[in-house]
Amino acid sequence: MAKSSYFPNVPAKIPFDPKAKKGALAFKHYDENKVVEGRSMRHWLRFAVCYWHTFRGTGSDPFGPGTMLRPWDDGSDSLKNALSRVDVAFDFISRLGAPYYCFHDRDVAPEGANLAKSNKNLDAVAEKLKEAQAKTGIKLLWGTANLFSNPRFMHGAATSCNADVFAYSAAQVKKAIEVTNELGGENYVFWGGREGYMNLFNTDMKRELDHLAKFMHMAHDHAKKIGFKGQFLFEPKPKEPTKHQYDYDAAACLNFIRANGLEGIVKLNIETNHATLAGHTMMHELEYASIQGALGSIDANTGDLLLGWDTDQFPTDIYLTTQCMLVIMKQGGLAPGGVNFDAKVRRESFEPLDLFYAHVGGMDAFARGLKIAAAIRKEGILSDLVKQRYSSYDAGIGKQIEDGKVGFAELEKYMLAKGNADPNASGRQELIENIINEYL
Ligand code: XUL
Ligand code: CO
């Protein structure tokens, strides 16, 4: 296969060229070596291309079949097709200049007639992925297993009522962790494809959740056994495909992690449109995870607020990326996690070139978010406002509360003597929003 032939009008490496004309295939903001707060943009952002949407997405929706033009793909689910797709994928990622990629086992290799055959297919593709990684320097951010597409997972995987399906899922995840390890993957993600319920009348919720916890412990035990040093990540999503997913949001996932002795073992992979579907902002989910030391990685995308489903569009909103970067920078970055574009081009954008426009736009949007967040942090106006807002806890009774020096009795004595609370100060919400806009 002539590698370059599928992207004839795309340079071997998309340049950083802020002076390029509008709409040119060039980064206007993502300058991978530019140092921001002591670290290069490449290291802050740790961009990853996801294999499933970018190389396996067809553009199908509930109303019609796929529309994507992928001239390298013969449309079959053969091993040969999977192997030649690897060349195109790495050619694409190299031209883009993203340092990482992510995959599900069944995106990269076809499912066989039984588990042994599926494993053999995966081994064959993994060997080729390993060669491609060595040749290009592109690394694996995370691997995961697809435990939702095959009809066997109709009732879930680790939470299936069918113990054989639990066993099958365990075997599949064992293999996926081994392949991730073999490819030097820096993380391993659990997204509960169908780990939830449609109807509580036929569901033993307690047993299902216990099984899910057992499953994660088994995964951890196996990771230790094979020397996998990567970070485990749990990805919250409130619904889709089931009515209620057990991994609803960051709070539900952290509760599950703590209730089952998985703290220190599993962190979170927060996805923008999953946050939206849960009725939260991305910033809320990131902050909630981060303050508890559990923000591991992000799936960068966005939903369409006028469509009710998980559209997984590429992020273009600078306000959103600024919010993301404010939280990420506050915790000192995401490593070993990164910014994975779990995003797809829309079905009207069916040409290979659209994949480049989508990723360049997403990367530039995050690079701008990074620069804006750095500027906000540098001047410190926002952090000073927040510090000032809570300054009543820096001394006097507030400090005693935080230091655990007083209880209800002491606080009652204090307030009886004082008679009333000090007056409140304005939250200055509009002012703060105006200040943020001054940086955009
Ligand atoms: C599904 C989703 C997944 C996970 C990996 O909504 O986000 O692609 O990121 O299984
Ligand atoms: Co995701």
Side-chain angles (χ1 to χ4, degrees), residues 37 283 318-319 322-323 325-326 329 368-384 432-433 435-440:
E37 285 195 28
M283 194 180 187
I318 314 299
Y319 206 77
T322 300
Q323 291 180 317
M325 291 316 300
L326 277 171
M329 294 179 88
R368 273 182 88 176
L370 168 65
K371 289 194 290 187
I372 296 165
I376 293 171
R377 287 162 55 80
K378 187 164 179 214
E379 293 198 341
I381 300 173
L382 190 64
S383 52
D384 286 351
I432 288 170
E433 286 157 2
I435 290 173
I436 297 288
N437 277 356
E438 288 194 46
Y439 290 94
L440 294 182

Side-chain angles (χ1 to χ4, degrees), residues 202-249:
N202 73 359
T203 299
D204 188 331
M205 190 193 275
K206 167 111 179 60
R207 263 178 121 166
E208 292 202 356
L209 285 166
D210 285 350
H211 295 166
L212 185 59
K214 277 207 165 60
F215 194 88
M216 288 209 185
H217 278 292
M218 288 180 193
H220 177 57
D221 290 346
H222 189 64
K224 274 196 298 195
K225 199 158 135 193
I226 64 169
F228 175 58
K229 300 273 180 313
Q231 174 67 53
F232 276 127
L233 298 165
F234 196 16
E235 181 174 324
K237 184 173 182 182
K239 52 192 166 191
E240 288 188 14
T242 70
K243 177 170 72 176
H244 180 101
Q245 302 265 135
Y246 293 132
D247 46 9
Y248 195 97
D249 60 2

Side-chain angles (χ1 to χ4, degrees), residues 235 271 274 299 342:
E235 181 174 324
E271 175 164 329
H274 297 177
D299 269 5
D342 190 356

Side-chain angles (χ1 to χ4, degrees), residues 52 104 142 144 148 189 191 235 237 271 274 299 310 342:
W52 53 100
H104 294 88
W142 49 265
T144 189
F148 44 89
V189 165
W191 170 61
E235 181 174 324
K237 184 173 182 182
E271 175 164 329
H274 297 177
D299 269 5
D310 191 7
D342 190 356

